[in-house]
C-alpha cells in the first residue's frame, strides 16, 4: 500500500457548490423557520405596538421662469432659469435654515416637544447616567446661560427637528417641487407643509423688493456721481480748447505735405552739394592736365591741353582752371545756403506738427472722456427711472400648484413592509447561522468526505447499533443476521478481503484516533462475521490499559496476553473459547511493564507468526494511536490496518494526525471505517437517501 496524505486544492476551495449550499440551508430549515418566526414576532410587536404612527402631508410648488416682465428689467427682478443648477439651488433654498426659521416662528414650533428636543422628558437612561455621575463625583457644572442664548438654542433645536421631518424633491424633467412633512399629527403635517411653501414664495417677493430698493438707492447715488464727473470732463475740454492755439486736422495734413516736399528737395540738393565739393577739390589740387581733363568734362580745357613735348600748361589753361574753380565754389555756396535754409524750415515744421498733434490728441482724449461719461450717465439715469417704475410690482418666481391634504391614514410604519423585512432578516440570519455552523463543522458525515479529506479508501460504513449495553451488541448481531448493521459488517469484511485478492490479509488490527470511536465494537463484529464463514478466528485485546472485552464478552480466562509475552504462561492456556460467537479470545490484563515495550519484543513477533499458522484470521484491537504508541508498534506485525472514525464526532485534525503517525513509521493505514452512523442524523443532514446500509431505499432489504 502506498502512503496517503490529506488533499488540499485551492482551486476547489475557491469554488462554491450551489447545490451543496442549498442542501445545507434545507438541512437547517427548522432553525431558519424559528429565526423567521422570531423576527416576524419582533417586527409585529414593533409595527403594531411600539412604533408611533407618522402622517405625511405634501404641498406642490412650481418654479416659474417668468420670461415676460412688465418692464424689461431682468437684472433686478428677472425670472430664474430652468437648468439643473437653478433647480438644485431652489431645493436647497426650500431647506435653508433661514426659511425654516420663519416657519418655526410663524407656527410656534419652538414650544412643540416633537421638534424641540429640550422640551421632551428626560429618558431613564439619562437619569441613570446623571445619577451615576453624581455618585462618582464627576458631575459637570453647567455655567449659567442667558435668556437670549437659551431662546436661540431652542429655536435652533426646532429648526433641526423640522429639517429631520422635511423632504423636498423635484419631479424629474420639470420645475415642480414636492414639499413633504412627516409628523405624528396629520393636521400639523399639513400646516407645516403649506407654511413652508408660503414662506418660500413670500421670501422670493421680499428678496425682490429689497433688491429693488437697494438697486434704486445705489443707482441714485451713482447717477449723481456721474453727473458731477460729466460736468467736470466737459469743463476740462472747454478750458483746454480756449488755452491752446489749435489747428484743424486739414491744416496739419497740409503742413505734413509741405514737410514732405522740403525733405524731398533736401534729398535732391545734398548729392549735388557733394558733387560740387568734389569738383572744387579736383580743380584745386590736380596732379596733371590729363588727369584733370578726365575728371572735369570741359571742352575748353580739352582744347587748351598741352600738346607734344610741351611740358607745362599754358596760361590760358591755368586761367580756365581758375575760372572753373571759382564757378564751382560759387555754385557750392549757393547749394549749401539752400540746404541750410531747407533744414531749418524742416526743423520748424516738424516741431510745429508735433506740437499740434499733441494738442489735438489731448483735446480728443478730453472729448472722448466727456462723451463716455455722458453715455454712462444716460445709461444709469435710464436704469434708475426703470427701477423706480418697478417698485411695487415685484412677482415671485414660484407659485403654488397644490396645497397639502390632511392625511387620513399614517404613512409609517408600513406594517406589511416591516413584516416582510422582518421575515427576510429572519431568513438571512437563520441561513447565515446554519451556513456558519456548517463551515465550522470539522467532522466527517459521509464516506466521500472522509476519503476525499484523507486520501485513504473507505472499506466500510457501520450504522449506530440500537443497543445501549455493550454486551447486547454481540447478541444483537447474532440474533439479527439480516439487519442493516450485520450487512454493513459483511460489506466491511468483503472490502478487507478484496483489498488484496492474491494474498488476503490474515492478521488485522483496528485502531482509532481517540477513545470512544467504536474500534473495539468493530473488531468484535468483524471477528463474529469471519467466524460465521467457518473461519477459525482469534480476537486479541491489544489495549492493556482500558481492557473493555469483559463488557462485551462473558467469561474470563486465567491468563492474558501479558502473561504470554512475559513468558509466565503458555498461549494455549491464555486463549479462551467463546462458544456463543465461535471465536477464540486472548484478553489483556493489568501490568507494571510498559505495554509498548511488550509489543516491541521479539516474543510478540514470534507469537504473531505462530498464530498465523494456527488461525485463519487474527484480529487485534489496539489502543488509540494519538494516546499511546502501541498501535504503531503492532502495525509492523499485521497485514492490514483498519482505522475507525466515528461519524460526526472525530475531528478532521485528529484523523490527519493519526494517519500521519502511521505514515511516520512506514506503515500507512490500509482502509477506513466510518462508524456509528446515525440514520436520523443522516436524514437530518440530507444524506439519508444516498448512502448504503442507512439509506432510505435499503430498509426493505434489512430486518432490524
Amino acid at each position: 500500500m502506498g502512503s496517503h496524505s490529506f488533499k488540499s486544492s485551492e482551486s476547489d476551495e475557491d469554488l462554491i457548490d450551489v447545490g451543496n449550499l442549498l442542501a445545507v440551508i434545507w438541512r437547517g430549515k427548522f432553525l431558519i423557520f424559528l429565526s423567521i418566526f422570531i423576527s416576524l414576532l419582533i417586527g409585529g410587536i414593533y409595527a403594531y405596538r411600539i412604533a408611533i404612527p407618522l402622517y405625511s402631508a405634501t404641498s406642490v410648488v412650481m418654479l416659474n421662469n417668468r420670461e415676460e416682465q412688465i418692464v424689461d428689467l431682468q437684472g433686478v427682478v428677472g425670472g430664474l432659469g430652468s437648468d439643473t443648477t437653478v433647480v438644485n439651488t431652489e431645493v436647497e433654498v426650500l431647506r435653508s435654515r433661514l426659511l425654516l426659521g420663519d416657519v418655526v416662528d410663524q407656527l410656534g414650533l419652538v414650544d412643540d416637544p416633537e421638534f424641540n428636543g429640550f422640551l421632551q422628558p428626560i429618558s431613564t437612561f439619562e437619569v441613570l447616567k446623571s445619577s451615576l455621575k453624581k455618585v462618582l463625583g464627576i458631575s459637570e457644572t453647567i455655567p449659567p446661560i442667558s435668556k437670549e442664548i437659551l431662546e436661540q438654542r431652542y429655536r435652533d433645536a426646532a429648526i433641526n427637528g423640522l429639517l429631520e421631518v422635511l423632504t423636498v424633491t423635484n419631479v424629474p424633467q420639470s420645475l415642480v417641487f414636492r414639499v413633504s412633512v412627516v409628523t405624528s399629527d396629520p393636521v400639523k403635517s399639513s400646516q407645516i407643509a403649506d407654511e413652508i411653501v408660503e414662506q418660500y414664495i413670500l421670501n422670493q417677493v421680499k428678496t425682490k423688493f429689497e433688491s429693488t430698493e437697494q438697486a434704486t438707492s445705489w443707482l441714485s447715488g451713482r447717477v449723481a456721481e456721474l453727473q458731477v464727473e460729466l460736468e467736470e470732463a466737459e469743463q476740462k475740454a472747454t478750458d483746454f480748447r480756449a488755452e491752446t492755439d489749435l489747428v484743424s486736422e486739414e491744416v496739419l495734413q497740409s503742413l505734413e505735405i509741405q514737410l514732405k516736399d522740403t525733405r524731398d528737395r533736401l534729398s535732391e540738393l545734398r548729392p549735388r552739394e557733394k558733387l560740387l565739393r568734389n569738383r572744387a577739390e579736383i580743380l584745386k589740387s590736380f596732379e596733371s592736365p590729363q588727369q584733370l581733363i578726365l575728371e572735369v568734362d570741359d571742352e575748353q580745357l580739352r582744347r587748351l591741353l598741352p600738346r607734344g613735348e610741351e611740358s607745362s600748361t599754358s596760361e590760358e589753361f591755368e586761367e580756365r582752371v581758375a575760372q572753373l574753380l571759382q564757378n564751382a565754389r560759387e555754385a557750392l555756396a549757393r547749394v549749401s545756403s539752400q540746404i541750410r535754409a531747407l533744414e531749418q524750415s524742416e526743423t520748424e515744421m516738424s516741431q510745429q506738427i508735433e506740437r499740434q498733434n499733441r494738442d489735438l490728441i489731448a483735446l480728443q482724449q478730453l472729448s472722448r472722456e466727456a462723451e463716455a461719461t455722458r453715455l454712462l450717465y444716460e445709461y444709469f439715469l435710464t436704469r434708475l427711472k426703470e427701477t423706480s417704475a418697478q417698485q411695487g410690482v415685484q412677482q415671485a418666481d414660484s407659485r403654488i400648484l397644490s396645497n397639502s391634504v390632511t392625511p387620513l391614514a399614517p404613512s409609517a410604519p408600513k406594517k406589511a413592509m416591516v413584516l416582510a423585512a422582518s421575515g427576510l432578516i429572519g431568513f438571512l440570519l437563520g441561513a447565515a447561522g446554519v451556513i456558519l455552523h456548517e463551515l465550522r463543522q470539522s467532522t466527517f458525515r459521509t464516506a466521500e468526505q472522509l476519503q476525499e479529506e484523507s486520501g485513504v479508501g473507505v472499506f466500510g460504513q457501520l450504522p449506530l447499533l440500537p443497543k445501549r449495553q455493550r454486551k447486547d451488541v454481540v447478541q444483537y448481531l447474532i440474533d439479527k443476521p439480516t439487519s442493516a448493521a450485520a450487512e454493513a459488517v459483511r460489506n466491511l469484511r468483503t472490502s478487507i478481503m478484496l483489498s488484496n485478492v492474491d494474498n488476503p490479509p490474515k492478521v488485522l488490527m483496528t485502531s482509532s484516533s481517540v477513545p470512544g470511536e467504536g474500534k473495539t465494537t468493530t473488531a468484535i463484529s468483524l471477528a463474529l462475521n469471519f467466524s460465521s464463514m467457518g473461519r477459525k478466528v482469534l480476537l486479541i485485546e491489544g489495549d492493556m490499559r482500558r481492557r473493555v472485552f469483559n463488557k462485551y464478552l462473558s467469561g474470563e480466562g486465567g491468563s492474558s496476553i501479558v502473561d504470554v509475552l512475559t513468558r509466565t504462561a503458555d498461549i494455549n492456556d491464555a486463549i479462551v473459547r467463546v462458544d456463543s460467537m465461535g471465536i477464540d479470545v486472548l484478553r489483556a490484563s493489568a501490568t507494571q511493564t510498559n505495554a509498548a515495550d511488550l509489543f516491541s519484543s521479539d516474543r510478540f513477533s514470534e507469537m504473531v507468526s505462530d498464530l498465523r499458522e494456527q488461525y485463519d484470521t487474527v484480529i487485534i484491537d489496539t489502543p488509540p494511536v494519538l494516546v499511546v504508541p502501541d498501535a504503531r508498534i503492532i502495525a509492523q506485525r499485521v497485514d492490514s490496518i483498519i482505522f475507525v472514525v466515528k461519524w460526526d464526532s472525530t475531528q478532521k485534525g485528529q484523523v490527519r494526525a493519526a494517519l500521519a503517525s502511521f505514515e511516520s513509521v512506514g506503515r500507512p493505514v490500509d482502509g477506513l471505517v466510518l462508524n456509528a452512523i446515525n440514520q436520523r442524523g443522516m436524514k437530518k443532514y440530507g444524506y439519508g437517501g444516498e448512502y448504503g446500509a442507512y439509506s432510505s431505499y435499503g430498509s426493505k432489504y434489512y430486518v432490524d
Side-chain angles (χ1 to χ4, degrees):
M1 300 293 291
S3 63
H4 303 282
S5 61
F6 274 69
K7 300 178 180 179
S8 62
S9 175
E10 294 183 359
S11 60
D12 292 342
E13 292 177 357
D14 292 338
L15 297 177
I16 297 177
D17 189 344
V18 178
N20 187 33
L21 181 62
L22 294 177
V24 170
I25 294 176
W26 177 249
R27 291 197 295 269
K29 55 184 175 293
F30 296 109
L31 178 61
I32 294 176
F33 288 151
L34 178 61
S35 177
I36 293 174
F37 174 76
I38 294 174
S39 296
L40 288 174
L41 182 61
I42 296 174
I45 293 174
Y46 168 78
Y48 290 93
R49 295 293 182 184
I50 299 177
I52 299 175
L54 299 176
Y55 298 85
S56 176
T58 302
S59 293
V60 183
V61 63
M62 184 188 76
L63 183 65
N64 182 13
N65 58 8
R66 295 206 22 245
E67 296 178 354
E68 70 284 351
Q69 298 290 335
I70 297 176
V71 178
D72 186 15
L73 193 59
Q74 297 294 326
V76 180
V77 293
L80 297 172
S82 57
D83 59 0
T84 305
T85 303
V86 173
V87 171
N88 294 336
T89 301
E90 292 305 303
V91 170
E92 293 303 318
V93 170
L94 282 164
R95 291 181 52 84
S96 64
R97 296 183 67 87
L98 183 63
L99 178 64
L100 298 184
D102 294 337
V103 175
V104 168
D105 297 338
Q106 190 69 23
L107 298 179
L109 299 182
V110 173
D111 301 324
D112 191 338
E114 186 174 357
F115 295 95
N116 187 356
F118 291 103
L119 301 180
Q120 294 179 358
I122 302 176
S123 64
T124 305
F125 175 76
E126 291 295 332
V127 173
L128 293 176
K129 181 179 176 181
S130 178
S131 301
L132 182 61
K133 286 184 176 181
K134 289 181 180 180
V135 171
L136 298 176
I138 58 174
S139 57
E140 300 177 356
T141 302
I142 302 177
I145 302 175
S146 63
K147 181 179 179 181
E148 292 76 11
I149 296 178
L150 186 61
E151 290 177 352
Q152 184 61 40
R153 287 187 180 180
Y154 283 1
R155 188 172 185 270
D156 291 340
I159 294 174
N160 293 336
L162 183 54
L163 276 170
E164 293 178 359
V165 301
L166 172 64
T167 303
V168 180
T169 57
N170 170 242
V171 178
Q173 305 299 322
S174 72
L175 299 177
V176 177
F177 301 94
R178 298 182 183 274
V179 181
S180 301
V181 177
V182 180
T183 70
S184 59
D185 187 345
V187 177
K188 186 194 301 182
S189 298
S190 178
Q191 289 177 346
I192 294 176
D194 290 342
E195 186 64 28
I196 291 175
V197 172
E198 291 177 3
Q199 289 295 331
Y200 170 66
I201 294 176
L202 290 176
N203 182 264
Q204 289 182 344
V205 176
K206 180 181 178 182
T207 301
K208 288 180 176 294
F209 182 79
E210 292 176 353
S211 298
T212 304
E213 284 189 338
Q214 292 177 359
T216 301
S217 176
W218 183 82
L219 287 172
S220 297
R222 186 58 179 153
V223 166
E225 293 175 359
L226 290 173
Q227 184 177 4
V228 174
E229 292 178 6
L230 176 60
E231 292 175 355
E232 292 177 353
E234 290 179 344
Q235 186 62 40
K236 287 181 181 180
T238 302
D239 294 343
F240 185 84
R241 191 179 290 108
E243 295 173 358
T244 307
D245 185 14
L246 295 176
V247 295
S248 63
E249 293 183 4
E250 291 77 9
V251 175
L252 283 175
Q253 292 177 357
S254 177
L255 288 175
E256 291 175 351
I257 293 173
Q258 292 179 16
L259 177 62
K260 183 178 182 303
D261 292 340
T262 301
R263 289 173 177 171
D264 292 341
R265 290 186 63 191
L266 284 172
S267 299
E268 295 174 358
L269 290 175
R270 282 171 179 152
R272 185 179 178 187
E273 179 187 25
K274 183 178 181 181
L275 181 62
L276 290 173
R277 184 174 285 106
N278 291 336
R279 185 182 180 86
E281 291 294 331
I282 293 171
L283 291 171
K284 181 179 179 181
S285 57
F286 64 90
E287 295 180 358
S288 66
Q290 290 79 8
Q291 180 186 5
L292 181 61
I293 292 301
L294 293 175
E295 296 290 342
V296 179
D297 187 15
D298 186 76
E299 185 65 28
Q300 188 174 354
L301 282 178
R302 189 176 291 107
R303 289 195 306 269
L304 296 176
L305 180 68
R307 296 179 179 83
E309 298 178 354
E310 297 179 1
S311 58
S312 60
T313 58
S314 63
E315 184 177 350
E316 291 180 358
F317 186 85
E318 295 291 341
E319 290 178 356
R320 183 57 184 171
V321 170
Q323 183 182 359
L324 289 175
L325 178 60
Q326 181 65 28
N327 291 340
R329 288 176 176 175
E330 292 177 355
L332 178 61
R334 288 195 301 272
V335 171
S336 298
S337 177
Q338 290 177 1
I339 288 175
R340 288 192 297 272
L342 289 174
E343 287 178 345
Q344 183 178 359
S345 177
E346 179 191 16
T347 302
E348 292 176 353
M349 282 190 293
S350 296
Q351 293 176 352
Q352 183 180 3
I353 290 173
E354 182 180 357
R355 184 175 60 256
Q356 292 289 339
N357 269 331
R358 187 170 56 251
D359 293 341
L360 183 59
I361 290 173
L363 178 60
Q364 290 176 345
Q365 180 66 24
L366 292 174
S367 299
R368 283 194 294 269
E369 290 178 359
E371 184 62 25
T373 305
R374 180 185 299 279
L375 293 175
L376 193 59
Y377 168 74
E378 291 175 353
Y379 173 77
F380 275 95
L381 182 61
T382 302
R383 299 289 290 174
L384 175 61
K385 292 180 179 180
E386 291 176 351
T387 304
S388 300
Q390 278 288 338
Q391 286 184 330
V393 295
Q394 291 83 5
Q395 298 180 14
D397 291 322
S398 304
R399 62 188 179 92
I400 299 175
L401 290 183
S402 173
N403 287 320
S404 63
V405 177
T406 302
L408 300 178
S411 58
K414 298 183 182 299
K415 299 177 181 178
M417 292 186 63
V418 170
L419 293 178
S422 299
L424 178 60
I425 293 173
F427 171 77
L428 294 176
L429 291 176
V434 170
I435 294 174
L436 180 61
H437 180 268
E438 184 71 15
L439 292 176
R440 290 174 59 86
Q441 183 265 337
S442 60
T443 59
F444 299 98
R445 292 174 181 165
T446 65
E448 283 77 3
Q449 292 177 354
L450 180 58
Q451 182 168 331
E452 183 178 352
E453 289 286 341
S454 65
V456 181
V458 178
F459 282 179
Q461 305 174 61
L462 303 181
L464 179 65
L465 296 177
K467 298 295 179 181
R468 293 185 179 181
Q469 299 296 327
R470 297 187 181 185
K471 288 186 177 181
D472 297 335
V473 171
V474 176
Q475 193 61 39
Y476 177 83
L477 294 174
I478 294 174
D479 295 341
K480 296 184 179 295
T482 59
S483 64
E487 188 62 35
V489 175
R490 292 190 188 94
N491 288 332
L492 173 60
R493 179 204 67 198
T494 303
S495 298
I496 294 173
M497 299 304 294
L498 294 178
S499 63
N500 191 343
V501 178
D502 296 331
N503 189 17
K506 295 185 66 176
V507 181
L508 313 175
M509 64 168 280
T510 59
S511 185
S512 63
S513 303
V514 293
E517 297 194 62
K519 59 181 179 55
T520 302
T521 303
T522 303
I524 294 175
S525 300
L526 280 173
L528 180 61
N529 195 273
F530 274 110
S531 175
S532 66
M533 296 175 60
R535 287 173 172 264
K536 187 178 181 181
V537 180
L538 174 63
L539 179 62
I540 301 176
E541 186 176 19
D543 191 348
M544 299 181 182
R545 294 169 178 83
R546 297 187 67 190
R547 302 184 307 280
V548 296
F549 270 24
N550 291 335
K551 298 180 180 180
Y552 288 89
L553 307 174
S554 60
E556 295 184 5
S559 301
S560 66
I561 188 174
V562 176
D563 300 324
V564 175
L565 295 178
T566 57
R567 301 181 184 274
T568 59
D570 185 74
I571 189 171
N572 294 323
D573 297 333
I575 294 175
V576 178
R577 179 71 177 178
V578 180
D579 295 328
S580 61
M581 297 178 61
I583 64 174
D584 292 339
V585 177
L586 179 59
R587 287 182 169 87
S589 63
T591 177
Q592 298 297 326
T593 307
N594 186 278
D597 296 338
L598 292 176
F599 290 124
S600 300
S601 64
D602 294 337
R603 175 59 181 157
F604 177 73
S605 178
E606 295 172 358
M607 184 189 74
V608 173
S609 298
D610 293 340
L611 294 176
R612 285 180 183 273
E613 302 298 330
Q614 300 177 24
Y615 290 91
D616 297 323
T617 302
V618 178
I619 300 175
I620 306 174
D621 179 36
T622 65
V625 68
L626 295 182
V627 179
V628 291
D630 303 6
R632 289 185 292 169
I633 298 172
I634 297 173
Q636 308 299 319
R637 304 290 181 259
V638 301
D639 300 330
S640 182
I641 302 174
I642 310 302
F643 190 84
V644 179
V645 178
K646 188 174 183 180
W647 178 84
D648 201 23
S649 176
T650 310
Q651 300 296 313
K652 294 179 180 179
Q654 294 173 337
V655 175
R656 184 184 297 109
L659 295 180
S661 67
F662 279 111
E663 292 181 1
S664 66
V665 297
R667 188 63 180 87
V669 170
D670 295 281
L672 305 176
V673 176
L674 187 60
N675 188 41
I677 299 173
N678 189 317
Q679 184 175 2
R680 291 185 178 180
M682 291 300 291
K683 291 181 179 180
K684 173 184 175 183
Y685 292 128
Y687 305 125
E690 303 175 11
Y691 297 101
Y694 47 90
S695 63
S696 58
Y697 59 76
S699 59
K700 297 180 180 179
Y701 290 86
Y702 312 125
V703 179
D704 293 331

